[in-house]
């Protein structure tokens, strides 16, 4: 187990989570699962505390602490734009797990939110590709963004009727 995995294991143990290693799984998968378990615990704490506080201004100020710690913890070559892309993708994946990819989902409101998350992910990817001067990709990202926007608009029109 590498140093980062050991730190994750220790943090989870302190929080009372037993996350034993599966010998059939690659170590990097175990490390990623432990990191996500730690994020899940942190998100549960944040949500519970925000509900207790019930003050949007205080919650928004507190979010800057997370951004600052994240920025200080990441290697320099990882831009804040890449962090936004990661967060947008996590939201997209979470909403996709909740509502699926069906064209006629059970919850059209969450499907519209998923489509909006797809739009955000694609637009951030477009921005990243323009920074990297990748001449072929930006046009395809804009096409995907237009499709996601169209899907979201169609769902919103359906909800309004």
């Amino acid at each position: 187990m590498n140093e980062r995995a050991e730190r994750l294991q220790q943090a989870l143990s302190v929080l009372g989570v037993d996350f034993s290693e599966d010998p059939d799984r690659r170590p990097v998968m175990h490390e990623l699962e432990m990191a996500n378990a730690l994020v899940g615990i942190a998100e549960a704490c944040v949500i519970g505390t925000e509900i207790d506080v019930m003050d949007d201004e205080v919650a928004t100020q507190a979010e800057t602490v997370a951004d600052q710690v994240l920025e200080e913890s990441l290697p320099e070559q990882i831009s804040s734009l890449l962090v936004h892309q990661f967060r947008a993708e996590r939201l997209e994946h979470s909403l996709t797990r909740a509502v699926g990819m069906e064209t006629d989902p059970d919850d059209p409101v969450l499907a519209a939110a998923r489509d909006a998350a797809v739009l955000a992910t694609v637009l951030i990817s477009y921005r990243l590709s323009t920074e990297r001067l990748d001449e072929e990709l930006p046009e395809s990202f804009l096409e995907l963004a237009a499709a996601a926007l169209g899907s979201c608009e169609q769902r919103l029109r359906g909800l309004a009727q």
Side-chain angles (χ1 to χ4, degrees), residues 97-114:
R97 285 190 299 275
V99 74
M101 286 301 295
E102 297 85 27
T103 55
D104 190 23
D106 292 336
D107 192 332
V109 174
L110 283 182
R114 180 208 52 221

Side-chain angles (χ1 to χ4, degrees), residues 12-132:
L12 288 169
S13 294
V14 166
L15 294 168
V17 176
D18 180 24
F19 213 90
S20 54
E21 193 167 358
D22 182 351
D24 295 332
R25 195 169 316 135
R26 295 182 333 197
V28 71
M29 289 299 299
H30 180 66
E31 184 178 339
L32 187 56
E33 288 173 345
M34 287 191 301
N36 276 289
L38 199 54
V39 168
I41 292 168
E43 285 179 339
C45 290
V46 167
I47 290 167
T49 305
E50 283 192 13
I51 289 170
D52 291 346
V53 170
M54 294 298 284
D55 185 330
D56 288 340
E57 186 176 328
V58 170
T60 300
Q61 288 173 354
E63 288 172 8
T64 62
V65 173
D67 291 340
Q68 181 181 3
V69 169
L70 178 63
E71 185 177 316
E72 291 171 1
S73 301
L74 287 173
E76 286 183 29
Q77 68 270 23
I78 297 180
S79 73
S80 62
L81 201 53
L82 196 58
V83 171
H84 293 311
Q85 182 186 33
F86 174 78
R87 287 175 171 165
E89 285 176 349
R90 284 184 67 95
L91 176 59
E92 175 190 339
H93 296 159
S94 178
L95 289 168
T96 298
R97 285 190 299 275
V99 74
M101 286 301 295
E102 297 85 27
T103 55
D104 190 23
D106 292 336
D107 192 332
V109 174
L110 283 182
R114 180 208 52 221
D115 294 345
V118 169
L119 176 61
T121 301
V122 170
L123 287 173
I124 294 168
S125 297
Y126 167 78
R127 177 73 194 292
L128 279 168
S129 69
T130 59
E131 281 186 1
R132 294 179 180 150

